[in-house]
C-alpha cells in the first residue's frame, strides 16, 4: 500500500492532490490511499462537497510505509517520521526542497500554478480516464492556488487544464464556479488568531535556522481589523516555543493584490526599514511562493 500525503497545515491543493494522485496510482494498478496531516479549511470543505469526494484519513505517522509526497518537497512540511518511510514519488510545483532518498524515485516538479496541473498532465500523458469527481477536484485546486487565474504563479498550462477539466466536470459557468470558490476561500468568520496563522502556515529551513510563513487570503484587509495584536502575539509565541528565528503571516487582499506582512522573531529587525506608518505593506503581492517568500529570503540573509 502506498500512502499519498500532502503537507502539514493542508490547503486545498494539498488535499486534492492526495486524492487525485491516489486515483492516478490506482489507475496504474497500484494499491494506494490518501491521507492528510491536519484539519481542512472551509474552502477545502466546500470543494469536497461540490466534487462529492471523501475526506482523506487524518494520519501523521508514516514510519515503515511506502509514500508519495504531493504539493511539497521540504522535510519541514512532511510527517515528522518521514525519514523512516520509503519515498517512492513526488509531485509538486514549488522549489525543490531538502528531501533525500536512498533509492531512485519518480519526481514530477513543474513551474506551474498548482500541483493538480501537473497531475492533470500526468493523467493525459499516461492515457488514464478522468472522472467528473476527479475533474472537479483538479479544477478547484488549480483555481484556488492561482486565485482564479489572478496570481502571478498562473501559467497557460493551468488555464488549459481548467478549460479541459470544466468540460469533463460538466461546469458550464467557470466564472460562477470561481466566485463560489473565492467566497469559501476568504471566509474567516469565527476563527481565532491562532487558527488564522495555522490556516496556511509553511515551515522553511533557512540559513541554519527554522522559519515559518503563513498566508491568509481575504476579500478585504478590514476582515482582520481588531485582530492584529492577537496575530502578532501568536507569531511571537511560536518563535519562543519553537525556537524560530522568524515567523510571519501574509494578510492578502485578493481583490487588490495588496498584502500586509506581520512578522516577529530574532530576524524581524531586518525588515523594519520597509515599514511605513508602522506597517509593512507589499504591493502587487498575491503569491507567497513566487513573491512573498523569495523577497523574504533576499531580506533575511
Amino acid at each position: 500500500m502506498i500512502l499519498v500525503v500532502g503537507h502539514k497545515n493542508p490547503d486545498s491543493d494539498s488535499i486534492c492532490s492526495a486524492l487525485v494522485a491516489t486515483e492516478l496510482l490506482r489507475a496504474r494498478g497500484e494499491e494506494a490511499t490518501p491521507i492528510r496531516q491536519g484539519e481542512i479549511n472551509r474552502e477545502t470543505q466546500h470543494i469536497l462537497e461540490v466534487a462529492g469526494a471523501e475526506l482523506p484519513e487524518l494520519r501523521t505517522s508514516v514510519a515503515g510505509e511506502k509514500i508519495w509526497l504531493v504539493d511539497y518537497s521540504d522535510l519541514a512540511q512532511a510527517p515528522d517520521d518521514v525519514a523512516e518511510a520509503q519515498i517512492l514519488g513526488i509531485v509538486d510545483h514549488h522549489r525543490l526542497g531538502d528531501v533525500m532518498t536512498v533509492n531512485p524515485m519518480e519526481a514530477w516538479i513543474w513551474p506551474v500554478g498548482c500541483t493538480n496541473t501537473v497531475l492533470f498532465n500526468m493523467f493525459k500523458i499516461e492515457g488514464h480516464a478522468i472522472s467528473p469527481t476527479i475533474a472537479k477536484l483538479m479544477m478547484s485546486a488549480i483555481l484556488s492556488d492561482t486565485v482564479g487565474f489572478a496570481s502571478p504563479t498562473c501559467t497557460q498550462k493551468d488555464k488549459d487544464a481548467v478549460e479541459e477539466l470544466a468540460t469533463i466536470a460538466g461546469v458550464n459557468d467557470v466564472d460562477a464556479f470561481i466566485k463560489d470558490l473565492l467566497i469559501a476561500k476568504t471566509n474567516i468568520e469565527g476563527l481565532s488568531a491562532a487558527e488564522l496563522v495555522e490556516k496556511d502556515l509553511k515551515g522553511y529551513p533557512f540559513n541554519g535556522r527554522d522559519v515559518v510563513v503563513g498566508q491568509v487570503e481575504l476579500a478585504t484587509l478590514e476582515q482582520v481589523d481588531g485582530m492584529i495584536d492577537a496575530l502578532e502575539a501568536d507569531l511571537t509565541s511560536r518563535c519562543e516555543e519553537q525556537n524560530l528565528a522568524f515567523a510571519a503571516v501574509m494578510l492578502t487582499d485578493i481583490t487588490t493584490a495588496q498584502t500586509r506582512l506581520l512578522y516577529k522573531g530574532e530576524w524581524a529587525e531586518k525588515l523594519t526599514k520597509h515599514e511605513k506608518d508602522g506597517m509593512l505593506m507589499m504591493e502587487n503581492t498575491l503569491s507567497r511562493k513566487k513573491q512573498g517568500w523569495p523577497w523574504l529570503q533576499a531580506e533575511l540573509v
Side-chain angles (χ1 to χ4, degrees):
M1 177 67 71
I2 299 172
L3 302 181
V4 184
V5 55
H7 54 70
K8 293 176 179 175
N9 302 309
D11 59 4
S12 295
D13 190 24
S14 178
I15 295 295
C16 291
S17 292
L19 290 163
V20 172
T22 294
E23 287 304 307
L24 177 68
L25 290 171
R26 288 172 179 172
R28 292 178 173 181
E30 303 276 4
E31 290 188 5
T33 190
I35 62 173
R36 59 187 167 94
Q37 294 193 70
E39 298 304 320
I40 63 171
N41 59 42
R42 293 171 181 177
E43 179 198 46
T44 306
Q45 182 62 48
H46 166 79
I47 291 171
L48 295 179
E49 291 172 358
V50 169
E54 295 292 326
L55 177 66
E57 173 191 356
L58 177 63
R59 180 168 172 174
T60 56
S61 176
V62 295
E65 302 285 357
K66 297 178 180 178
I67 65 173
W68 269 56
L69 309 182
V70 289
D71 200 30
Y72 67 107
S73 63
D74 283 301
L75 290 175
Q77 298 172 27
D80 291 339
D81 57 6
V82 69
E84 301 172 54
Q86 182 181 357
I87 301 174
L88 300 183
I90 293 175
V91 186
D92 193 18
H93 70 123
H94 300 92
R95 65 167 194 169
L96 178 62
D98 54 355
V99 167
M100 294 184 66
T101 61
V102 174
N103 299 309
M105 67 169 179
E106 182 174 355
W108 297 73
I109 303 176
W110 289 12
V112 292
C114 181
T115 301
N116 272 274
T117 300
V118 185
L119 285 164
F120 167 72
N121 282 279
M122 291 173 69
F123 267 88
K124 290 188 67 178
I125 290 168
E126 298 182 18
H128 301 304
I130 299 173
S131 70
T133 291
I134 293 300
K136 286 180 181 177
L137 289 173
M138 283 198 272
M139 69 177 291
S140 295
I142 295 168
L143 291 170
S144 171
D145 256 19
T146 64
V147 195
F149 302 138
S151 172
T153 63
C154 185
T155 69
Q156 190 59 46
K157 286 186 175 67
D158 300 298
K159 296 176 181 179
D160 292 344
V162 169
E163 183 177 359
E164 291 190 45
L165 289 166
T167 299
I168 299 170
V171 175
N172 298 317
D173 191 338
V174 174
D175 288 339
F177 191 89
I178 292 172
K179 181 179 179 180
D180 290 342
L181 187 68
L182 295 184
I183 288 172
K185 176 189 279 290
T186 58
N187 180 9
I188 63 167
E189 184 178 356
L191 296 182
S192 67
E195 288 170 328
L196 281 180
V197 174
E198 285 282 347
K199 191 172 184 288
D200 186 10
L201 187 68
K202 290 188 176 180
Y204 304 96
F206 186 71
N207 280 356
R209 297 291 301 278
D210 291 324
V211 308
V212 295
V213 182
Q215 185 173 28
V216 181
E217 292 169 312
L218 304 163
T220 169
L221 293 178
E222 293 176 358
Q223 287 175 265
V224 290
D225 279 353
M227 298 187 70
I228 301 301
D229 289 346
L231 289 166
E232 291 183 331
D234 181 84
L235 294 174
T236 298
S237 296
R238 290 176 193 273
C239 289
E240 295 171 349
E241 295 169 7
Q242 301 172 36
N243 191 32
L244 301 173
F246 183 80
V249 62
M250 297 170 60
L251 305 175
T252 301
D253 183 330
I254 64 173
T255 64
T256 64
Q258 187 178 55
T259 290
R260 178 175 180 182
L261 185 73
L262 305 182
Y263 56 97
K264 294 293 180 181
E266 297 171 35
W267 294 349
E269 61 183 20
K270 298 183 179 187
L271 301 185
T272 54
K273 62 187 176 184
H274 297 291
E275 289 187 2
K276 184 176 180 180
D277 298 326
M279 294 188 292
L280 197 164
M281 302 299 298
M282 307 170 74
E283 303 296 331
N284 299 313
T285 302
L286 278 173
S287 170
R288 170 178 50 195
K289 178 184 76 172
K290 198 166 184 177
Q291 297 170 309
W293 177 231
W295 182 79
L296 283 170
Q297 290 180 81
E299 294 294 324
L300 296 176
V301 292

